[in-house]
Amino acid sequence: MNKPMTKTQLVAALAETMGSDKKTATTALDAIADVITKEVSEGGAVTIPGIAKFMCKDRPERMVRNPATGETMPKPADRQVKATIAKALKDSVNID
């Protein structure tokens, strides 16, 4: 299996695809990350068509088990970031 693409490699690929320079591609990538982070942290959702939908999900208080002691204890309610991969991306991976 190949190593994941680094940010530097992603920026270079974006710049090439956009026909732009790396500075512009870096700015675009950082702006997308900032928008997604801000929206999801405020409880919203962001869909990047053809890629994924990012959302914040509230989880209720629940009982959890300490694996070291086996003791069960309550875990307070919290929030979780969820990403749902778009069907188009899933289908592109499973082409026969």
Side-chain angles (χ1 to χ4, degrees):
M1 181 174 210
N2 295 335
K3 291 183 180 180
M5 184 181 272
T6 65
K7 181 178 178 180
T8 304
Q9 293 168 329
L10 179 57
V11 165
L14 276 172
E16 184 179 325
T17 302
M18 292 169 44
S20 182
D21 59 16
K22 290 180 184 177
K23 184 175 180 182
T24 304
T26 300
T27 302
L29 183 60
D30 290 343
I32 291 169
D34 290 345
V35 168
I36 291 172
T37 301
K38 182 176 183 285
E39 187 64 27
V40 172
S41 67
E42 292 174 355
V46 176
T47 300
I48 301 176
I51 297 176
K53 178 178 181 180
F54 301 92
M55 67 200 95
C56 183
K57 179 183 176 192
D58 292 322
R59 293 194 301 185
E61 182 176 322
R62 61 199 185 279
M63 296 301 288
V64 295
R65 189 177 71 82
N66 180 337
T69 64
E71 174 189 9
T72 58
M73 57 191 152
K75 182 172 194 285
D78 60 356
R79 293 167 44 170
Q80 176 183 28
V81 176
K82 296 203 58 141
T84 304
I85 306 302
K87 185 178 183 322
L89 182 56
K90 287 181 192 176
D91 291 346
S92 72
V93 172
N94 292 314
I95 294 176
D96 291 335

